[in-house]
Amino acid sequence: MVPSADRPDEVKFAVPLLDADFDFTKLVQGCPWRVPQKIHLQVIFPISRSSSYSSVPSAPRLKLISTPDLKSLFSVEDVKLPPWSNGMCLAEYLPALEESLNLLVVEASASIGARRRFIEALAPTFGRPIEADPIFCKRATVLSISGIFTFLVHFAIPLQFPKQQPVLTLQSSQHCNADGTPITSPPINDYPWSPRWDQAEMVERIYDFLTDECQNFKKFCSDAITQQK
């Protein structure tokens, strides 16, 4: 027998999730991934050193892990793991978890389409973006002009779009810091937003917001230049 002092404190293993032949690249047009993307459930069962065996084993520690590239599509950290009931075995636990993952995959695929339509909706109002993420559609940049003030608007579009609104960052084309770096605004996400609006209305509301906000940003840039002198 193995002395109790030499016994491991836990047993750790990983369980592959979703179908073995599930291909995430089919969800993303033009996907650059060359390595198959996988999701595993990391399971850590504690081992009691007590000489008496409990009739109900301790609940395991559970964590979802995935291949790094998959974070461009969705984050497994956003998945709320189902609760583990006393006396449950892994075979009972996995179906509910895989159902949640399948739903997340469907939502992630739909979100790419929604983000793409949002970027396409920028053109009629802001003009065609000068930069955009053509695959995962997570970012776009447009050039804007207010009078003689020229600036860029960077859109960081979250994976949870449209539930979460894009984060805007303004960047002056005419003002630089002492080190020559263009002056940028703090991230902006406190503008009017509703996930129920269509993409055209989302863009129009952002445009209306920036009509006033760009004046605040222009003053912010001028003040920054004054402080450098």
Side-chain angles (χ1 to χ4, degrees):
M1 296 181 62
V2 179
S4 60
D6 296 332
R7 295 175 187 168
D9 293 325
E10 58 189 27
V11 173
K12 179 178 179 180
F13 57 93
V15 180
L17 300 174
L18 303 179
D19 294 335
D21 58 350
F22 188 89
D23 188 358
F24 283 99
T25 61
K26 293 181 179 179
L27 300 176
V28 185
Q29 184 178 1
C31 184
W33 298 334
R34 297 182 179 180
V35 177
Q37 302 300 305
K38 301 295 182 182
I39 302 175
H40 291 80
L41 176 66
Q42 178 180 278
V43 184
I44 302 177
F45 275 103
I47 298 178
S48 174
R49 291 182 178 273
S50 173
S51 58
S52 61
Y53 292 94
S54 172
S55 59
V56 179
S58 300
R61 301 198 305 275
L62 305 171
K63 181 181 179 181
L64 285 177
I65 54 178
S66 69
T67 42
D69 289 341
L70 201 56
K71 292 181 179 180
S72 298
L73 180 60
F74 64 86
S75 174
V76 294
E77 296 175 359
D78 295 332
V79 179
K80 184 178 181 180
L81 292 175
W84 182 280
S85 303
N86 288 338
M88 177 179 279
C89 68
L90 200 56
E92 296 173 304
Y93 182 81
L94 291 179
L97 175 58
E98 292 200 308
E99 182 179 350
S100 297
L101 280 177
N102 279 314
L103 179 59
L104 179 64
V105 169
V106 171
E107 291 178 346
S109 179
S111 181
I112 292 178
R115 295 196 298 270
R116 177 173 287 109
R117 291 190 295 274
F118 175 82
I119 292 175
E120 292 170 348
L122 293 172
T125 302
F126 284 94
R128 186 173 181 177
I130 59 175
E131 289 184 353
D133 172 7
I135 298 176
F136 297 102
C137 304
K138 295 195 298 181
R139 65 182 185 278
T141 299
V142 297
L143 178 65
S144 294
I145 300 174
S146 176
I148 60 172
F149 181 46
T150 305
F151 60 100
L152 301 175
V153 183
H154 301 288
F155 295 83
I157 311 172
L159 294 176
Q160 293 78 17
F161 180 90
K163 293 179 181 179
Q164 294 182 9
Q165 64 203 89
V167 177
L168 313 179
T169 302
L170 310 185
Q171 176 183 322
S172 176
S173 300
Q174 302 167 221
H175 305 83
C176 293
N177 293 319
D179 60 0
T181 304
I183 296 177
T184 60
S185 71
I188 303 170
N189 63 354
D190 58 350
Y191 54 87
W193 181 263
S194 171
R196 294 184 296 274
W197 295 337
D198 61 27
Q199 277 77 4
E201 183 171 359
M202 292 174 180
V203 171
E204 290 172 1
R205 294 291 190 106
I206 292 174
Y207 183 87
D208 291 342
F209 169 80
L210 289 177
T211 299
D212 295 328
E213 184 62 25
C214 71
Q215 300 304 317
N216 297 330
F217 178 55
K218 181 180 179 181
K219 183 178 184 303
F220 173 81
C221 293
S222 298
D223 291 346
I225 294 297
T226 300
Q227 293 174 7
Q228 294 176 24
K229 297 179 180 179

